[in-house]
Amino acid sequence: MMKGPKKWRLFALMTALLVVLSGCGREEISTLIPAGKVAQDQFNLLILSSVVMLFVIIVVSIIYVLAIVKFRRSKVGEDMIPEQVEGSARLEFIWTAIPIVLLLILAVPTVYSTFDLADVTAMDAQTEEGIAESLTVNVTGKLYWWEFEYPEQGIITAQELVVPTGERVYFNLISADIKHSFWIPSIGGKLDVNPENVNTFYLEFDRESAELDNGVFYGKCAELCGPSHALMDFKVKSLNREDFDQWVAGMQEEQEAPTEAVAQEGQALFEQSCIACHATSGVGATPGVGPNLATFGDRNTVAGFMEHNEENLKNWIADPQQYKPGNLMPNAASLNNGEPFSDQELDALAAYLMGLKVEE
């Protein structure tokens, strides 16, 4: 059994480690570095509740220490009987009123923020020309990736959400299979993504993601949904309104055919084996089985979590189950007449997919 001094040394070490780790947050994924109004409101509630809890801990600790010091047997004697306060109206009032006050301090701003953050009445507001005043994104959670549809703009993408800064963005959340949870820690959330009903909320993005180290905020699935739940990530690019409009225009344009021979070979192979599940145009509906790949060359990751390069892309195409177990992408042989893709075919597919870009 661990002796007393060793226990205290371990406790001191863990406390020091906790203090050090508390400074390790990354602004692109930390709830403690809010980058939007919703995240800031949630952070303020976190600070308020922490202050209230700290106050309770301090008061209880002081009373505990005073009781030990003032009424210890060696000081008051063995026969001393403390004053009996049973039935004291004053004390009953104090220890009833204080918890009520603390609960009110917590409840009032929490209830107000809850209703404020759930207010989506302005979601359907339109201008005199019938144009939506706010951006709405339909989010669909799937095993194990995310689809983002912009109904007013008539475009669809996957794995990377692109939004304007400085305005409310409304989200309709639904799942195509099982329950997920949509969460962008630095911006706010999280909200359940259910297969049987649509959940709606809004977020505000105060900061352009280009200022961050990797140029994106990180989103997560916050509901355990299967063996690759931890890998069900997505990225968020927040742009100023002018750049966002340019991105939308790029998505609405027809994809140009590749000019390099190897990419042309990859396009032909893609249209023979992959087109049934993956769309390469951001306009219109997607087949729905696999992610839309219209912006694949602009993305930061392969499969939502691997470094974005041709080597990882080829590894993913060759054996997707090795990297994200339980995903619905079929093995390469089933797409290629029973034969695995050759190195030349993988090079061609990678060259074609890496060329699918809408950003300059």
Side-chain angles (χ1 to χ4, degrees):
M1 182 177 292
M2 189 177 294
K3 296 182 179 179
K6 290 186 177 180
K7 288 183 179 180
W8 281 107
R9 286 199 296 270
L10 179 60
F11 176 76
L13 177 62
M14 296 301 293
T15 303
L17 182 61
L18 181 63
V19 172
V20 172
L21 292 178
S22 66
C24 293
R26 295 157 51 194
E27 54 188 343
E28 64 268 22
I29 198 172
S30 175
T31 58
L32 303 181
I33 310 176
K37 177 184 179 300
V38 174
Q40 185 64 57
D41 289 347
Q42 294 173 339
F43 180 75
N44 292 340
L45 289 175
L46 174 64
I47 295 299
L48 175 63
S49 59
S50 297
V51 169
V52 171
M53 288 186 288
L54 182 62
F55 169 77
V56 172
I57 291 173
I58 291 174
V59 171
V60 171
S61 298
I62 289 174
I63 294 174
Y64 177 73
V65 172
L66 286 177
I68 291 177
V69 172
K70 187 174 181 180
F71 297 103
R72 63 186 187 274
R73 288 295 184 186
S74 60
K75 183 175 182 179
V76 300
E78 292 290 336
D79 299 326
M80 187 270 183
I81 299 177
E83 179 184 354
Q84 302 303 294
V85 296
E86 181 181 358
S88 170
R90 178 182 298 177
L91 289 177
E92 292 284 355
F93 175 80
I94 290 175
W95 60 53
T96 301
I98 291 179
I100 291 175
V101 171
L102 294 178
L103 287 175
L104 288 175
I105 292 174
L106 288 172
V108 171
T110 299
V111 172
Y112 173 82
S113 294
T114 299
F115 281 91
D116 179 57
L117 297 178
D119 183 10
V120 294
T121 54
M123 181 178 181
D124 299 323
Q126 296 183 339
T127 63
E128 295 180 356
E129 294 78 18
I131 301 174
E133 294 182 353
S134 302
L135 175 67
T136 298
V137 181
N138 295 333
V139 179
T140 304
K142 304 185 181 184
L143 294 172
Y144 296 94
W145 57 281
W146 298 88
E147 182 177 273
F148 305 109
E149 179 189 9
Y150 301 73
E152 291 294 327
Q153 291 73 24
I155 59 178
I156 192 167
T157 185
Q159 292 298 83
E160 283 197 348
L161 172 68
V162 181
V163 292
T165 56
E167 57 187 82
R168 285 190 178 185
V169 179
Y170 292 90
F171 296 90
N172 293 315
L173 309 177
I174 195 167
S175 171
D177 34 62
I178 62 176
K179 178 175 286 189
H180 303 285
S181 184
F182 183 83
W183 187 29
I184 310 174
S186 299
I187 306 300
K190 64 200 120 164
L191 195 63
D192 282 349
V193 183
N194 302 318
E196 65 275 4
N197 66 283
V198 177
N199 283 335
T200 304
F201 78 135
Y202 73 87
L203 295 173
E204 293 185 19
F205 301 78
D206 293 343
R207 182 177 178 184
E208 292 186 32
S209 60
E211 302 173 6
L212 304 172
D213 289 341
N214 296 320
V216 294
F217 290 104
Y218 286 82
K220 305 283 292 183
C221 175
E223 183 80 27
L224 182 60
C225 56
S228 289
H229 157 71
L231 306 178
M232 191 173 168
D233 297 351
F234 63 96
K235 310 299 178 289
V236 183
K237 290 182 179 178
S238 54
L239 313 173
N240 61 59
R241 172 46 83 165
E242 181 180 354
D243 289 342
F244 175 76
D245 290 340
Q246 290 180 1
W247 177 81
V248 171
M251 287 288 289
Q252 293 171 338
E253 293 178 358
E254 185 177 348
Q255 285 279 356
E256 295 183 2
T259 56
E260 297 182 2
V262 64
Q264 292 175 348
E265 180 186 345
Q267 181 180 19
L269 184 59
F270 183 92
E271 292 175 352
Q272 293 173 5
S273 55
C274 310
I275 197 68
C277 297
H278 296 282
T280 57
S281 171
V283 181
T286 180
V289 179
N292 186 296
L293 303 177
T295 62
F296 188 85
D298 297 323
R299 296 180 186 173
N300 292 70
T301 57
V302 173
F305 71 100
M306 302 164 67
E307 185 179 348
H308 193 259
N309 56 52
E310 290 193 6
E311 189 63 29
N312 283 336
L313 175 57
K314 289 186 289 186
N315 290 338
W316 166 256
I317 295 172
D319 190 2
Q321 294 300 326
Q322 177 182 348
Y323 298 96
K324 190 179 276 191
N327 79 89
L328 301 182
M329 183 169 172
N331 62 65
S334 67
L335 302 174
N336 196 35
N337 300 318
E339 297 292 333
F341 289 119
S342 66
D343 290 342
Q344 181 180 349
E345 289 173 327
L346 289 173
D347 288 340
L349 282 171
Y352 170 64
L353 294 173
M354 285 296 187
L356 296 176
K357 299 181 178 183
V358 300
E359 298 178 15
E360 297 181 357

